[in-house]
Structures are given as C-alpha cells and as structure tokens.
Amino acid sequence: MSSGARMRVRRLTLRWRVAAAFGFGALLLTATLAAVTWNLAAGYMLRQREEGATRQAEVNVRLVDRELRSGGEGLEDLLTGLATSNESSVLIRRPQGWVTSGRAVSPAEFPKPLLALAEDGVPARQRLMAAGGPVIAIALPVSTQDGVYVELFPLSELDRNFRFLSGVLVTGVVTSGVLGVMVGSWASRRALRPLKELTDAASRVAGGQLQARLPDQDDPELAQLAAVFNSTADALEARVRRDARFASDVSHELRSPLTTMANAGAVLQRRRGELSGTADRALELLLSEVERLQRTVVDLLEISRDDQQPDAGNDETVDLGGLLRNVVEPRPGTKPVIEVDVPAPMVQGDRRRLDRIVANLLDNADKYGGGAVRVAVRRCDGWARLVVEDAGPGVPEELKELVFERFSRGAHAGRRGHGVGSGLGLALVAQHVQRMGGRVWVEDRQGGGARFVVEIPEVPL
C-alpha cells in the first residue's frame, strides 16, 4: 500500500481505540476461560458417559454369558430387555451368525480392529457414527461359544448438551466483548474528559474568545496542565489587548493629521484649474493615497475595537437575503445579479458585522475585480452561504490564503497594480465570520474572476 493510500485510511479516535482495547481484552480473557471450560466440561461429561456405558456393557455381557450357558432359549427376550431405548443396539456374534436387538445396525459398520480386539479377549470401545448418529461402541468377549458382544450407546443427548454448552459459551464470549467495549467507552470518556475540556478551551481561544480558561482540577497532574494552559492564555490575551490598544492609539493619533490633509486636499481640489499638469497629477495621487490611508485607519480602528471587545454586539436572528438586498441596492453604479433562496436562510449574529461582511466583499470586488457581477445567498446543509463573484483577474493560488491576513500582499508586496488587493477589508471579513462560527474562502470563478464564499451556521426554521 502506498503512503498516500495509508494516509487516506481513517483511524479510530483515541476514545474508540481505548474502548476497542477494553473489548479485545475482555474478549480474549473470556474466550480463554470459555475454551478451558469447554475442554474440562466436555472431557468430564464424555468420560463419565464412556465409563457408565462400559460398566453397563460389562453387566449386560455377564447376563448374556449366563443365558448362553443355560441353553440360550431366552436370549432374544434378554437382548430385547437389554436394548433399553429405541436408539440403542445390542449385537452378539455366535457361530450361527449375528443376533441383534434394538435399532437395526449392520455389523459391517463396525471397525474391524474393534471386533478383532474382542475376538482376542480384550475389551474395546470406540466412538463412531452408526445408524445415522454418534454412538459409543463397546465390544466385549463372550466366553461361551467364543462369541463377541457389541453394544451401542447413543450420544445424541450428550451431543445436544455439548451444543447447548457451546452456545452458552459463545454467547458469553460475545457478550463480554460488547460489554468490554461499552465499559471501555465509558472509562475512556471519563479519562479523556480533561483532554476534551482542553481542546474546547483551545478552540475557543483560537476562535477569538481570549477569556476562555480551564476549570480548576483536583488531580495534581491535571491541575498543573490547567495552570500552564491558563497562564499561557492570560499572557496571550494580555499581548493581544496590548497590540489592539497600540493600534487603536496609533489610529486615533493619525486621524487628526489625516483630516487636516484631507481638508487641505479638498481646498487644492477646488483650485485644480490653476495647477500645471505635473502638479495636477501629483495632487490626484496625493488625494488617492490620503483616501486610502483614511480607509485603512477606519478599518484598523474597527479591528482593534473588535480585538479588545470580541463579544461586543447585539446578536439577533437576521434574514440574510433581506440584509444582502439592503446593502447591495443603495450602492451606486452597476448592480450585480442578486439570487436568494426561498425561503432565505436565517442566521444568528450581530447585524453590524453582517453588514460589514457584505459591504467589504463588495468593496473588494469594486477595487480589484471590476465590480461584483453576481451575489447570492443559498442554503447548504445547515449553512447559510453568501457568494460574491467578480469578473476581475482572479486571485493567484499562492495568495488565496494570504488575502484574508492583515496587510498581507504575499510575493507582490511593495508593488502597485498587481490587482489582488491589500489592507484590512478582507481581514475584517475573516474576523467577523470567525466570530460567528463560520468560514470564508476564495476560489476561481467559472469563466474568469474570483468567487468569495462565506458560510455561517443557519438557524433552523
């Protein structure tokens, strides 16, 4: 099997591996006990049956020998009485031939070594199949007339007891294996509960809930793990909040000079007719950069505010289709095609965040994709899916992850006009979507362009 095929083999979770180990151990233990029990019980019952049959045959052969010595007139009646059941058979070989009683059995079915030992005066017994069933054949010499006495004792009842015993043992083994898996599952769930709590807390921290902590533990080893995790989370939260405060302070400090620059630019804009060609182009470049910097400062303020108060907002049930129309229709310019499932999916979240998600995706399409050509809201297996498509140059494969990072332009950093965007708009989209437990990605649009997809958990209707 190749390494790729091995990677595709899905392994059991740790909990189920522990449960399977418990079940296998219980199965192995009970199977061993069942095998020992079977051998001891079956061997004991079989020996008891053989010894009882041998003693009975020895008593019966003495009665037959006595009857033969007295003339043998009542031999047939004696043999009829000795055949105590319909499944037993009694046979005597005399010089005149075989005399039988009970269930009809042909002497040809007997093994020759068995009869040869009896002929030589040696008692013999053997388990065999005769007349369609298992029997114990006991062959004894008859001193009178040098005959051979053969009696067949049926083993059908013992065979039924064996089948019943084997059924009980197999059922016990299977039941113990199932109980072992159940006990293992219960034990592993209790043993792995601290690990689940650690995973949940780490997931909440990764999702932006920096205040998530592990509860205090009674076990010394688990207490140490909880203390280390909580101290790490405290340090991470403090650092994130410091960075957010720094970004907020810098943004506030930049707003005043940016406002002054924007006002000065507006004054110069009104007097562009007095400027030469080179000065006019410089003014246009300056105004565009001031506008871009103002937009970046606004986004940076929102990100820092969201970092410091990640749970701030009023969660409510929002009609995503109606919200999409409210954001798209008032925008100037060419309107994209709007497609909304009926009924439209409902989501639980802050309406402000949802407005910014849609607006930022549309702004990104306007700046770098020639404008949005299609927006859609779909219902998809428990998710509300928002799609924004543009007809621009698309996003290179190596930048499809980086476009959602803050200030990231990947390999194109420092260049202008590369067409994939930079700044904080898509980073805000990713952050807001993550706060609502969703996911966002970009893919190629059929026919060219980019297709941004947002999925948020749907509220059941």
Side-chain angles (χ1 to χ4, degrees):
M1 182 183 293
S2 66
S3 60
R6 287 196 296 268
M7 290 297 292
R8 289 193 293 269
V9 176
R10 186 174 181 180
R11 296 186 62 189
L12 292 174
T13 62
L14 178 59
R15 174 186 170 187
W16 286 111
R17 290 202 299 273
V18 172
F22 267 82
F24 179 76
L27 192 69
L28 183 62
L29 177 61
T30 53
T32 302
L33 293 176
V36 172
T37 301
W38 167 262
N39 289 329
L40 293 177
Y44 175 77
M45 290 189 291
L46 187 58
R47 285 194 302 273
Q48 289 293 104
R49 179 58 173 159
E50 289 179 343
E51 292 173 1
T54 300
R55 288 194 295 269
Q56 182 65 42
E58 290 173 349
V59 172
N60 293 344
V61 75
R62 286 198 293 268
L63 294 175
V64 170
D65 192 31
R66 186 182 306 161
E67 178 63 29
L68 290 175
R69 288 179 180 176
S70 63
E73 289 79 3
L75 181 61
E76 292 186 3
D77 294 336
L78 176 61
L79 295 180
T80 302
L82 295 179
T84 56
S85 68
N86 294 331
E87 297 181 354
S88 60
S89 301
V90 177
L91 300 92
I92 297 178
R93 192 179 69 181
R94 303 178 64 189
Q96 298 86 353
W98 286 91
V99 180
T100 64
S101 180
R103 185 172 57 175
V105 178
S106 172
E109 298 183 40
F110 301 150
K112 293 182 179 180
L114 179 70
L115 298 177
L117 288 174
E119 291 173 356
D120 294 338
V122 179
R125 69 185 180 196
Q126 183 175 345
R127 295 192 302 273
L128 53 88
M129 297 295 295
V135 297
I136 297 177
I138 299 178
L140 300 172
V142 179
S143 57
T144 306
Q145 300 179 357
D146 296 328
V148 175
Y149 175 85
V150 181
E151 186 167 357
L152 304 182
F153 294 88
L155 294 177
S156 55
E157 182 177 355
L158 187 61
D159 188 56
R160 287 193 295 269
N161 292 337
F162 285 166
R163 286 198 297 269
F164 176 76
L165 178 60
S166 63
V168 170
L169 293 176
V170 169
T171 302
V173 170
V174 174
T175 302
S176 69
V178 174
L179 290 177
V181 171
M182 295 173 63
V183 172
S185 176
W186 174 81
S188 62
R189 183 170 61 251
R190 289 183 59 87
L192 298 177
R193 184 177 299 167
L195 181 60
K196 183 178 184 302
E197 293 176 350
L198 174 62
T199 303
D200 292 342
S203 299
R204 292 198 300 273
V205 171
Q209 300 181 28
L210 300 180
Q211 71 281 6
R213 299 292 183 272
L214 284 177
D216 294 334
Q217 303 290 333
D218 297 330
D219 187 274
E221 296 180 356
L222 297 179
Q224 183 179 3
L225 174 63
V228 171
F229 177 86
N230 291 338
S231 63
T232 303
D234 289 337
L236 177 62
E237 182 181 14
R239 179 171 181 175
V240 170
R241 295 197 185 281
R242 282 197 306 269
D243 292 344
R245 284 195 300 271
F246 174 77
S248 177
D249 294 341
V250 170
S251 300
H252 280 293
E253 291 296 327
L254 289 175
R255 294 188 73 177
S256 295
L258 280 174
T259 302
T260 302
M261 295 172 63
N263 292 335
V267 173
L268 293 175
Q269 178 73 13
R270 288 194 295 270
R271 304 185 64 178
R272 292 185 66 173
E274 304 176 10
L275 301 177
S276 63
T278 302
D280 183 65
R281 287 194 296 273
L283 176 61
E284 183 179 358
L285 180 61
L286 176 63
L287 292 177
S288 66
E289 291 299 317
V290 168
E291 181 184 359
R292 187 172 71 88
L293 188 55
Q294 283 182 312
R295 194 163 50 243
T296 300
V297 168
V298 172
D299 289 343
L300 189 60
L301 281 172
E302 181 171 353
I303 285 181
S304 62
R305 188 184 307 115
D306 200 56
D307 284 341
Q308 295 183 70
Q309 298 177 337
D311 297 327
N314 299 315
D315 284 354
E316 56 181 307
T317 302
V318 180
D319 180 348
L320 193 56
L323 181 140
L324 177 67
R325 290 191 176 94
N326 291 337
V327 175
V328 173
E329 292 175 354
R331 294 174 66 90
T334 304
K335 300 293 188 298
V337 176
I338 300 176
E339 300 176 2
V340 178
D341 281 352
V342 179
M346 309 294 289
V347 296
Q348 187 75 22
D350 182 6
R351 184 179 293 273
R352 180 187 63 85
R353 293 185 192 274
L354 293 167
D355 284 340
R356 288 307 305 268
I357 290 172
V358 177
N360 284 9
L361 289 176
L362 293 174
D363 288 342
N364 181 77
D366 291 339
K367 295 172 191 174
Y368 311 110
V373 296
R374 173 179 172 269
V375 293
V377 170
R378 302 293 189 196
R379 305 174 67 195
C380 184
D381 296 331
W383 294 88
R385 175 175 290 184
L386 168 66
V387 178
V388 177
E389 296 181 351
D390 63 53
V395 179
E397 190 67 32
E398 67 273 11
L399 296 181
K400 287 183 177 178
E401 295 288 340
L402 294 177
V403 292
F404 296 104
E405 297 182 6
R406 300 175 185 180
F407 299 109
S408 176
R409 290 181 289 175
H412 300 279
R415 305 181 191 174
R416 294 182 183 273
H418 52 76
V420 297
S422 62
L424 301 173
L426 293 180
L428 273 171
V429 170
Q431 182 164 308
H432 289 326
V433 170
Q434 185 183 44
R435 292 282 192 266
M436 290 185 288
R439 54 203 180 198
V440 59
W441 70 90
V442 60
E443 57 192 31
D444 296 330
R445 173 178 174 265
Q446 187 175 3
R451 184 173 186 260
F452 286 84
V453 184
V454 173
E455 285 189 343
I456 302 172
E458 181 185 3
V459 176
L461 297 177

